[in-house]
Amino acid sequence: MGAMPEEIEGVVTLLNNPVTKVIGMRRYTSGTINGIKTIVVFSRWGKVAAATTVATLINEYNITELIFTGVAGAISPDLKIGDIVIAQKLIQHDMDARPLMQQFEVPLLGKTYFESKKEDLSTAKIAINNIIESRELYNVIDAAVLSQFNIDNPTLHIGDIASGDKFFATTRDKQQLTDALPSILCVEMEGAAVAQVCYEYNIPFTVIRTISDTADDKSSIDFPEFIKSISSKYSMCIIEHLFKSIQKTGLIEN
């Protein structure tokens, strides 16, 4: 699943025997990748859109695991454009029901974050390290395009991601998030909602984000071009290698 059409276009090309069905204004394309039954869908932006799409995947397609790929804005100064982040914990930065409960706590669940399973993190880590070490991205993305965004040796990070219905485009907003949630590596608009639905249905999930911008005053300039030139190929490469790792570990039945 991806929140932008560009993020799933390349993944759809990996499907064998694709079949498309429209449900709730979304196109769900099913098929197989490496013999594993797979559904690919563009969820649209934001927490509500993402949650709606995940619920459909669970109730209509009976998925047993969810993988969400896409882009995010860097919050940590250790991140640069082109780096990849695997979410360990996901938190909704705009959830605030104080004074009824603590800030960021999800009502009725008593949780402030949702955490990926260690085995899923390990599988994703192996797959993405293989991409980085083999310099696979240089085979699928033109060197001039990578150079445009100063992408040279992308690195993998595993840590906390914040989600909310807000595009971060000012340094002030970025600093406020850092002050409130100092462990956050990057910010996006869907991951924590995806994780919440999966948690409630007991579905394992993996959220993988590529850093597209620096979540500050330059974000609106960097973001559109990154999505157009790089995002789709990153997602396709990540999914291709991740499914190979999944097949080897046997975490998902064919």
Side-chain angles (χ1 to χ4, degrees):
M1 190 171 93
M4 300 281 288
E6 295 88 351
E7 293 166 359
I8 60 97
E9 284 173 357
V11 180
V12 169
T13 67
L14 299 175
L15 289 170
N16 291 314
N17 303 313
V19 176
T20 298
K21 183 178 181 180
V22 177
I23 306 174
M25 300 175 70
R26 289 158 178 75
R27 296 174 61 86
Y28 296 80
T29 304
S30 57
T32 60
I33 299 177
N34 286 359
I36 300 171
K37 292 180 180 178
T38 306
I39 302 95
V40 181
V41 61
F42 155 45
S43 68
R44 306 185 179 192
W45 290 24
K47 294 191 300 178
V48 173
T52 298
T53 309
V54 177
T56 301
L57 287 169
I58 294 170
N59 293 312
E60 293 286 337
Y61 288 95
N62 299 311
I63 64 168
T64 56
E65 181 152 351
L66 187 134
I67 299 166
F68 189 73
T69 64
V71 296
I75 297 297
S76 168
D78 295 331
L79 294 175
K80 61 185 184 297
I81 292 177
D83 284 356
I84 299 171
V85 179
I86 305 173
Q88 185 168 22
K89 297 177 182 178
L90 294 117
I91 186 169
Q92 296 182 46
H93 66 74
D94 55 358
M95 176 61 71
D96 192 348
R98 294 177 294 179
L100 301 178
M101 56 196 66
Q102 65 176 318
Q103 189 178 12
F104 312 121
E105 182 178 331
V106 177
L108 303 181
L109 295 182
K111 294 178 69 66
T112 56
Y113 63 83
F114 300 93
E115 193 166 9
S116 297
K117 291 184 177 181
K118 291 181 180 179
E119 55 266 36
D120 294 316
L121 288 174
S122 177
T123 301
K125 180 181 177 181
I126 291 169
I128 293 170
N129 275 333
N130 285 339
I131 293 171
I132 292 172
E133 291 169 6
S134 67
R135 296 179 69 82
E136 177 71 17
L137 293 170
Y138 292 84
N139 294 330
V140 297
I141 303 174
D142 188 87
V145 175
L146 292 170
S147 178
Q148 178 184 346
F149 288 91
N150 296 315
I151 298 174
D152 189 10
N153 290 304
T155 56
L156 171 63
H157 304 258
I158 300 175
D160 300 347
I161 294 179
S163 308
D165 289 319
K166 174 183 178 63
F167 182 79
F168 278 63
T170 70
T171 302
R172 179 174 177 271
D173 287 342
K174 181 175 180 177
Q175 187 58 54
Q176 286 180 339
L177 181 62
T178 300
D179 293 342
L181 294 165
S183 71
I184 295 300
L185 294 181
C186 61
V187 65
E188 34 90 309
M189 298 177 69
E190 299 86 19
V194 168
Q196 180 179 335
V197 177
C198 287
Y199 170 81
E200 295 190 28
Y201 281 89
N202 195 29
I203 300 292
F205 63 88
T206 305
V207 176
I208 303 171
R209 292 292 194 173
T210 301
I211 300 303
S212 60
D213 58 88
T214 49
D216 55 19
D217 302 290
K218 297 179 181 179
S219 297
S220 59
I221 299 172
D222 297 339
F223 185 78
E225 184 60 32
F226 188 93
I227 293 294
K228 176 183 176 182
S229 305
I230 293 178
S231 179
S232 175
K233 294 174 182 177
Y234 252 81
S235 289
M236 181 177 67
C237 196
I238 288 170
I239 291 298
E240 191 171 23
H241 281 259
L242 183 55
F243 269 65
K244 289 178 181 178
S245 293
I246 289 171
Q247 193 176 44
K248 288 179 181 179
T249 60
L251 289 177
I252 295 180
E253 295 183 1
N254 290 3

